[in-house]
Amino acid sequence: MREGTRDPNTVEGIMATLHVIGGKWKPLILFILLHEGTKRFGELKRLLPNVTQGMLTNQLREMERDGLIIRQVYQEIPPKVEYYLSNHGKTLSSVLTEMCGWGFKHVEFMENQMIETQQDSHLRQ
């Protein structure tokens, strides 16, 4: 599609989606909650070993604010907090599943590209 003929409304949906689930950690957190169910903060932290505590806290707060997850606080000592997908968050199921499927296909594509490059390199020698 040429630049001059593009309807500006066609990118608004993508931009809105990226605004809400964009970044390195949000799709992973959502995918975990979708497929593994309710998780406590520490469980999420263990499943995402490279995320900092502050980043995980911020990502969870943003997704709670955007209505994607629910933060359930139990009045216990020590305090217990659990996170799970809201009904609105569950509507991302197909998006997350498609992202995962595409990711596997992309990994395979890149592996094939590397094999082809290596084969071409051997042929030239």
Side-chain angles (χ1 to χ4, degrees):
M1 189 178 288
R2 289 188 327 214
E3 187 70 29
T5 61
R6 183 175 26 173
D7 180 358
N9 294 326
T10 60
V11 297
E12 286 179 22
I14 297 275
M15 295 304 292
T17 303
L18 289 175
H19 178 74
V20 175
I21 68 165
K24 182 176 182 178
W25 301 111
K26 286 181 183 178
L28 292 170
I29 295 165
L30 291 166
F31 198 77
I32 289 167
L33 295 176
L34 177 67
H35 288 281
E36 297 186 22
T38 302
K39 294 289 180 200
R40 294 178 71 173
F41 184 90
E43 292 174 307
L44 288 169
K45 179 79 175 84
R46 280 189 292 282
L47 290 167
L48 303 164
N50 295 326
V51 70
T52 65
Q53 184 167 332
M55 178 59 75
L56 181 56
T57 298
N58 288 340
Q59 300 288 272
L60 290 168
R61 283 183 184 153
E62 288 176 15
M63 289 187 291
E64 182 183 14
R65 180 200 66 215
D66 291 331
L68 301 180
I69 64 171
I70 294 172
R71 179 178 186 261
Q72 178 71 50
V73 180
Y74 297 91
Q75 299 302 320
E76 300 176 356
I77 296 181
K80 177 180 173 183
V81 179
E82 293 181 332
Y83 297 91
Y84 59 94
L85 286 181
S86 67
N87 287 335
H88 183 56
K90 289 175 185 174
T91 64
L92 286 166
S93 173
S94 61
V95 173
L96 296 168
T97 301
E98 287 293 321
M99 284 175 64
C100 183
W102 185 88
F104 282 121
K105 289 176 187 173
H106 180 66
V107 167
E108 183 179 336
F109 172 81
M110 294 305 292
E111 288 170 351
N112 289 336
Q113 289 290 101
M114 191 169 63
I115 290 169
E116 288 176 17
T117 301
Q118 289 171 348
Q119 288 172 345
D120 288 347
S121 173
H122 289 338
L123 290 175
R124 283 187 244 135
Q125 291 179 356

